[in-house]
Amino acid sequence: MKTKVRVFAVLFVLMAAAIVSAQTPSAAELLRRVDDNEIYTTIEYEGEMIIEYQNRRYVKTMKAWARENTDNFTEFTNPEDRGTKYLKRGGRLYVYSPDTEEVMLVSGHMLKESMMGSDLSYEDTIENEKLSARYNPVLAGSEIWNNRDCWVLDLSAKKKTESYPKQKLWIDKENGDCIHYELFALSGIKLKEYNLKRIETIEGRRFPVETEIRDLLRRGSKTTLVLKSIILDQPIPNSIFSTRNLER
């Protein structure tokens, strides 16, 4: 009788473990969900970049168009920066300044510098490649973040050329939203953190429309990026991503 009880106990434990395993998504599946929501074929939007730095507040507005991870065009429209334009094409990033009426190539270490005084680097603003193509994910467990039950993913870069060799993501168990993530140097030093503030369902996907970014190497700094009038996955004319459009 005792032997039967022990057998049933073992079977119960095995069944319980199987149920838990079935309910726990793989790290690859979780990362795929994030990519499916956030990575686009094309995007067009109007935006606000609200920069809070050393007790001062700056608001910059822009219009932007992007296509996959190859083309990006951004034009600033606020009075102080009106006419400043950025064009990413063919793996290169160019900036046009209305003050000098000149086009400058942004390359090398300059890509890591602050864009328009924000907590975002030039690289941050033009990146649109799937995380699953760039990182190897490991499920690190689960945690409560901002009162939400989340899966935690640790990511390690597949290539040494990644700006952030390590990332850590908190993914909402209920809806798959990536509500917080942190970016690290190879040494383990935390460089930046992102907090999801607001999300909207667009074309059947849960797309982040308001995000708070902190560059932890800049004391007393925070940038809130707000996207408006978003159009996803619709054709964009090639003329948008032209040097002629940059200079006119």
Side-chain angles (χ1 to χ4, degrees):
M1 186 65 178
K2 289 182 179 179
T3 301
K4 290 183 178 180
V5 171
R6 282 197 292 269
V7 170
F8 282 127
V10 171
L11 289 173
F12 178 80
V13 170
L14 292 174
M15 289 174 63
I19 292 171
V20 170
S21 177
Q23 293 175 341
T24 303
S26 67
E29 171 63 17
L30 286 168
L31 199 56
R32 184 189 66 78
R33 292 179 192 176
V34 174
D35 282 340
D36 286 348
N37 278 333
E38 299 188 8
I39 300 300
Y40 45 79
T41 302
T42 65
I43 187 172
E44 177 181 344
Y45 66 88
E46 297 177 8
E48 278 187 348
M49 188 183 287
I50 304 163
I51 304 165
E52 299 173 56
Y53 182 54
Q54 295 185 345
N55 298 318
R56 302 188 70 177
R57 188 175 187 269
Y58 310 88
V59 179
K60 301 179 184 294
T61 58
M62 80 284 286
K63 294 182 179 179
W65 298 257
R67 182 167 54 193
E68 296 182 335
N69 196 42
T70 55
D71 305 310
N72 186 299
F73 184 85
T74 303
E75 179 176 0
F76 284 84
T77 57
N78 58 292
E80 299 83 0
D81 305 299
R82 183 174 286 119
T84 301
K85 304 174 186 178
Y86 292 88
L87 171 66
K88 177 191 177 184
R89 196 183 66 175
R92 294 190 172 188
L93 179 64
Y94 304 89
V95 57
Y96 171 81
S97 170
D99 294 333
T100 61
E101 297 185 342
E102 293 182 351
V103 174
M104 182 181 72
L105 175 65
V106 181
S107 60
H109 71 277
M110 292 176 62
L111 288 167
K112 299 184 183 299
E113 293 181 0
S114 166
M115 181 181 187
M116 306 295 282
S118 73
D119 291 68
L120 292 157
S121 70
Y122 292 104
E123 286 179 317
D124 295 336
T125 61
I126 60 175
E127 184 58 64
N128 180 46
E129 188 177 3
K130 290 183 176 181
L131 288 172
S132 55
R134 299 160 50 203
Y135 290 90
N136 294 311
V138 173
L139 184 58
S142 62
E143 291 181 11
I144 301 297
W145 183 270
N146 199 21
N147 297 319
R148 302 293 298 179
D149 194 9
C150 299
W151 298 113
V152 181
L153 282 187
D154 286 335
L155 306 185
S156 57
K158 295 180 178 181
K159 298 179 181 179
K160 295 181 179 180
T161 52
E162 275 294 341
S163 299
Y164 307 106
K166 300 177 183 179
Q167 294 197 29
K168 191 169 186 176
L169 279 57
W170 282 256
I171 301 170
D172 194 309
K173 289 185 180 181
E174 183 179 345
N175 50 40
D177 298 340
C178 183
I179 64 173
H180 177 76
Y181 63 98
E182 300 174 348
L183 310 179
F184 297 84
L186 188 61
S187 64
I189 295 175
K190 184 162 56 171
L191 301 174
K192 293 184 181 179
E193 59 182 25
Y194 287 63
N195 288 298
L196 178 64
K197 307 300 289 184
R198 187 162 54 90
I199 202 159
E200 290 182 3
T201 300
I202 304 173
E203 300 295 332
R205 71 172 76 181
R206 294 177 61 81
F207 196 79
V209 298
E210 184 173 345
T211 308
E212 178 186 283
I213 307 104
R214 291 180 184 269
D215 182 342
L216 302 180
L217 302 183
R218 285 162 49 105
R219 184 173 297 177
S221 185
K222 178 178 73 173
T223 298
T224 302
L225 184 63
V226 182
L227 308 187
K228 306 174 182 178
S229 306
I230 300 169
I231 301 173
L232 290 173
D233 302 329
Q234 296 298 314
I236 297 176
N238 289 332
S239 59
I240 292 291
F241 308 108
S242 66
T243 53
R244 184 177 180 181
N245 193 30
L246 183 68
E247 296 172 345
R248 72 181 184 185

